[in-house]
Amino acid sequence: MQLPATPAWEWAGAWAGLGLAVVGAVMISRRPVLVQLFGEWGCACGDYHEKVTGVVIRNPLRDRQPERVAGNFLDGLKANRCSANVHLCEYALPSHRISDWRLVNREDAGESVRLYFKLTKYGTSNPGYHLTGEGMVQIERRKGSWQVTAYSSYF
């Protein structure tokens, strides 16, 4: 028994569908955040409360190098070290030192990336008194490498 030949228009449709899927995957892979919904807004909760609340689905194919640079910066703050510029370190170490963080959201704008975190303030040994807050680390590509250019937090 011989199978009937597949018409050319069916093959063309299959190839077109595959092409659209590839183009869609490439376009999606360039966006670091795929979905951000239901962020809380309108409260006196800080400058970026809306960025760290709600549902955020990050792209698993995103460039994670800015996140690694921010993680190294936050590791340094936890260890009472700061490798950024002097003014940023003067702000960060005395009263904005942290003991724990979790990346929640990010915004990319060309060579600049803002990473938004849920934070735990450093210095409280009793878990019942841990201060939690929100923070932002800005990373910029300068001379071919990513560098921390801003840090802000509130508890």
Side-chain angles (χ1 to χ4, degrees):
M1 175 175 203
Q2 186 176 5
L3 295 175
T6 304
W9 61 270
E10 286 183 16
W11 283 105
W15 281 107
L18 180 62
L20 285 174
V22 168
V23 168
V26 168
M27 290 180 72
I28 286 174
S29 71
R30 295 176 186 210
R31 293 181 46 204
V33 174
L34 299 177
V35 176
Q36 178 184 354
L37 301 169
F38 312 119
E40 295 177 18
W41 58 276
C43 72
C45 304
D47 294 339
Y48 22 81
H49 185 69
E50 183 178 354
K51 303 288 184 191
V52 297
T53 57
V55 175
V56 176
I57 300 173
R58 292 187 301 274
N59 186 344
L61 304 175
R62 69 191 180 276
D63 176 11
R64 293 190 173 148
Q65 187 58 30
E67 296 168 22
R68 286 190 278 279
V69 171
N72 290 339
F73 171 75
L74 296 174
D75 277 335
L77 291 185
K78 181 177 181 178
N80 202 27
R81 293 187 324 266
C82 183
S83 58
N85 71 56
V86 173
H87 298 294
L88 196 146
C89 292
E90 287 174 352
Y91 165 82
L93 285 179
S95 57
H96 294 272
R97 194 170 160 202
I98 59 171
S99 64
D100 195 26
W101 60 92
R102 181 176 57 88
L103 177 65
V104 179
N105 202 348
R106 96 181 236 176
E107 294 178 324
D108 289 43
E111 299 292 304
S112 179
V113 177
R114 285 187 173 203
L115 300 157
Y116 299 93
F117 295 88
K118 291 280 192 174
L119 304 173
T120 302
K121 189 169 178 69
Y122 183 85
T124 55
S125 58
N126 183 341
Y129 295 104
H130 281 187
L131 292 175
T132 58
E134 299 163 358
M136 183 275 303
V137 177
Q138 183 168 321
I139 310 291
E140 293 181 9
R141 188 187 311 261
R142 293 186 176 170
K143 298 179 184 173
S145 66
W146 292 101
Q147 299 174 9
V148 175
T149 58
Y151 169 66
S152 178
S153 64
Y154 56 89
F155 300 95

